Amino acid sequence: MGVNSVTLVGRAGRDPEVRYFESGSMVANLTMAVNRRSRDDEPDWFNLEIWGKQAQVAADYVKKGSLLGIIGSFKLDRWTDRNSGEERSKPVVRVDRLELLGSKRDNQEASGSFGGQATDEEIPF
């Protein structure tokens, strides 16, 4: 038996990129930065893939800098590079549950400037 579960809390690295399909489904892709314990360490970055209703929530409410909590599973996207013909891969977290953390005010500040109220500890980039 195996377990593939990922739980992260961090900040959106960019606004979600949303794609709609003829079938009516949608997907939102974005990055998430998760700080390490030490302030001197660089954050870890994760690629997120969100489908369905959770993707709509991300499209409507998530902005660069928004504080998020996610639960999902790890997968490895694989493809052949069209230019070089080389096999490529990218680790992705497929999000099953998206939680918008922080206050409405925090998220408004995140979508604006990072000056003012936000502290260095809250912003990983």
Side-chain angles (χ1 to χ4, degrees), residues 70-85:
I70 64 102
I71 297 173
S73 57
F74 175 81
K75 71 176 195 159
L76 196 59
D77 279 351
R78 298 171 195 254
W79 71 95
T80 303
D81 186 290
R82 291 181 184 171
N83 297 325
S84 68

Side-chain angles (χ1 to χ4, degrees), residues 1-5:
M1 183 175 116
V3 176
N4 183 353
S5 181

Side-chain angles (χ1 to χ4, degrees), residues 71-125:
I71 297 173
S73 57
F74 175 81
K75 71 176 195 159
L76 196 59
D77 279 351
R78 298 171 195 254
W79 71 95
T80 303
D81 186 290
R82 291 181 184 171
N83 297 325
S84 68
E86 292 181 37
E87 292 293 315
R88 302 266 187 200
S89 64
K90 174 176 80 168
V92 176
V93 176
R94 173 139 187 209
V95 176
D96 297 318
R97 184 170 177 184
L98 171 68
E99 294 287 332
L100 304 175
L101 305 175
S103 67
K104 185 176 178 180
R105 179 178 162 197
D106 289 340
N107 289 330
Q108 287 172 342
E109 287 175 5
S111 66
S113 139
F114 284 111
Q117 306 285 333
T119 66
D120 289 341
E121 188 172 307
E122 295 174 329
I123 302 168
F125 42 89

Side-chain angles (χ1 to χ4, degrees), residues 18-109:
V18 181
R19 289 182 291 155
Y20 298 89
F21 298 93
E22 288 182 21
S23 65
S25 63
M26 65 184 293
V27 64
N29 295 95
L30 65 143
T31 57
M32 174 188 252
V34 178
N35 282 338
R36 294 197 166 238
R37 292 189 191 270
S38 170
R39 292 184 79 164
D40 297 331
D41 290 336
E42 293 291 318
D44 293 316
W45 287 90
F46 298 89
N47 296 302
L48 305 182
E49 177 182 275
I50 309 169
W51 288 87
K53 292 179 182 179
Q54 298 285 307
Q56 187 64 57
V57 170
D60 292 342
Y61 299 106
V62 174
K63 302 289 181 222
K64 179 180 178 178
S66 295
L67 184 60
L68 308 173
I70 64 102
I71 297 173
S73 57
F74 175 81
K75 71 176 195 159
L76 196 59
D77 279 351
R78 298 171 195 254
W79 71 95
T80 303
D81 186 290
R82 291 181 184 171
N83 297 325
S84 68
E86 292 181 37
E87 292 293 315
R88 302 266 187 200
S89 64
K90 174 176 80 168
V92 176
V93 176
R94 173 139 187 209
V95 176
D96 297 318
R97 184 170 177 184
L98 171 68
E99 294 287 332
L100 304 175
L101 305 175
S103 67
K104 185 176 178 180
R105 179 178 162 197
D106 289 340
N107 289 330
Q108 287 172 342
E109 287 175 5

